Amino acid sequence: MSSVFNILKQQILHFPLITRLAFYETKSKYQMHYLGILWQFLNPLLQVSVYWFVFGVGIRNGDPVDGTPFFIWLLTGLVPWFFISPTIVQGSNSIYSKINLVSKMKFPVSVLPSITIASNIFGFLITIVILSVVMVIYDIKVSIYALQLPYYLLCLFFLLYSITIFTSTISALIRDFQLLIQTSMRMLFFMTPILWSVNEFPERYQALIQLNPFAYIVNGFRESLLSETWFFEDWRYAFYFWSFLILILFVGTLLHENYKNKFVDYL
């Protein structure tokens, strides 16, 4: 476990550097685009519109899900996914794409996935604002269960770092792994209960679907904003999620500590 504590300590010590580099990365992302930062609004709006039209109007014929209008139900699932998917794809490539930066500046390689996560937070906050506006339009009141949202945000950030420290290390050693991550994330979008409800499946398949750790995050967002369920009511599912997260974090940090001085040899 010393590798886990060592790498988490590096994130805390270099937090000012992480935020500074993430700010510059976000600023430069849309520098060459005519619409600039407006793409942070336009991109999620266009995607949500397509998913709502195809799955909500076309396939579900506008039927609500558990009494909730499909559009708001869909949006509460897409908001965390719009943060998860690009962060994992970009984070898995963070060491390979920025190793030259590390060779010029003195800071640990383990902060590179954190910079990717931090640079995507701005877009994540924008989607939360859009979700808040839509909830007001649909006259959906925030209940006391929204107090558990910080818990799910904590789960989300720890899960993203655990996965990206693992995948970025493997991707730096084996380039094919980056393509596997991109393909896997496209598949996981349809295997995570974003466009459909877990309850629509036979009970024997529901436990299998919930093995996907992203399902825990998506369901948590919906339970916080739309349902009346506390996260500790299903403590066995929470225990599984944190066990999975700690295992990935342990393996990822162990691999990273073993290969951190050899990345340049593989690039």
Side-chain angles (χ1 to χ4, degrees):
M1 291 299 286
S2 61
S3 60
V4 174
F5 292 119
N6 185 40
I7 282 187
L8 291 180
K9 182 182 175 184
Q10 290 173 358
Q11 312 311 304
I12 296 171
L13 291 176
H14 293 85
F15 184 73
L17 177 69
I18 291 170
T19 53
R20 194 162 61 249
L21 290 178
F23 173 76
Y24 287 122
E25 191 168 300
T26 304
K27 190 177 177 183
S28 62
K29 187 181 295 182
Y30 298 101
Q31 206 166 29
M32 301 301 291
H33 298 71
Y34 288 114
L35 295 180
I37 202 72
L38 275 178
W39 279 110
Q40 292 279 7
F41 291 91
L42 292 175
N43 192 33
L45 281 176
L46 290 172
Q47 291 187 64
V48 169
S49 300
V50 171
Y51 291 134
W52 169 75
F53 185 73
V54 173
F55 292 94
V57 178
I59 296 179
R60 297 188 62 89
N61 198 26
D63 292 338
V65 181
D66 299 329
T68 302
F70 181 77
F71 185 72
I72 190 73
W73 185 88
L74 171 69
L75 199 54
T76 51
L78 284 175
V79 163
W81 184 258
F82 283 161
F83 182 46
I84 290 170
S85 181
T87 299
I88 290 181
V89 173
Q90 296 163 20
S92 65
N93 200 38
S94 58
I95 292 178
Y96 181 82
S97 62
K98 295 190 181 72
I99 196 67
N100 291 330
L101 179 66
V102 178
S103 63
K104 295 174 184 174
M105 299 174 64
K106 292 296 180 186
F107 61 84
V109 183
S110 67
V111 304
L112 294 177
S114 293
I115 293 171
T116 302
I117 295 171
S119 67
N120 286 332
I121 285 179
F122 181 65
F124 180 50
L125 293 176
I126 286 177
T127 57
I128 288 179
V129 170
I130 294 173
L131 173 62
S132 303
V133 172
V134 173
M135 289 181 69
V136 171
I137 294 172
Y138 275 82
D139 195 26
I140 294 178
K141 303 287 190 303
V142 176
S143 70
I144 191 173
Y145 294 90
L147 291 175
Q148 62 185 340
L149 203 53
Y151 163 75
Y152 285 109
L153 289 173
L154 184 70
C155 294
L156 175 59
F157 288 122
F158 267 100
L159 179 64
L160 287 178
Y161 186 77
S162 302
I163 291 177
T164 52
I165 192 66
F166 173 76
T167 55
S168 61
T169 301
I170 300 292
S171 294
L173 306 178
I174 307 170
R175 289 303 297 156
D176 301 73
F177 194 70
Q178 171 66 19
L179 296 176
L180 178 64
I181 291 296
Q182 293 178 19
T183 304
S184 299
M185 293 311 295
R186 282 195 288 270
M187 293 169 59
L188 280 169
F189 173 72
F190 294 100
M191 295 169 65
T192 304
I194 298 171
L195 303 171
W196 41 268
S197 171
V198 178
N199 298 329
E200 295 172 350
F201 279 76
E203 194 171 344
R204 62 179 181 276
Y205 293 121
Q206 292 181 13
L208 183 65
I209 292 169
Q210 289 181 328
L211 291 177
N212 174 2
F214 302 127
Y216 185 74
I217 302 295
V218 170
N219 289 335
F221 267 65
R222 287 190 174 128
E223 288 170 358
S224 301
L225 299 173
L226 304 176
S227 303
E228 296 181 349
T229 306
W230 292 107
F231 70 90
F232 48 78
E233 290 182 31
D234 193 350
W235 63 268
R236 286 177 295 187
Y237 192 26
F239 178 76
Y240 160 76
F241 173 81
W242 281 101
S243 300
F244 174 87
L245 189 153
I246 292 170
L247 176 64
I248 293 294
L249 182 63
F250 175 73
V251 175
T253 54
L254 192 63
L255 281 173
H256 184 88
E257 288 290 90
N258 286 335
Y259 286 97
K260 65 181 180 183
N261 297 322
K262 302 176 185 175
F263 284 135
V264 177
D265 299 334
Y266 286 89
L267 303 179

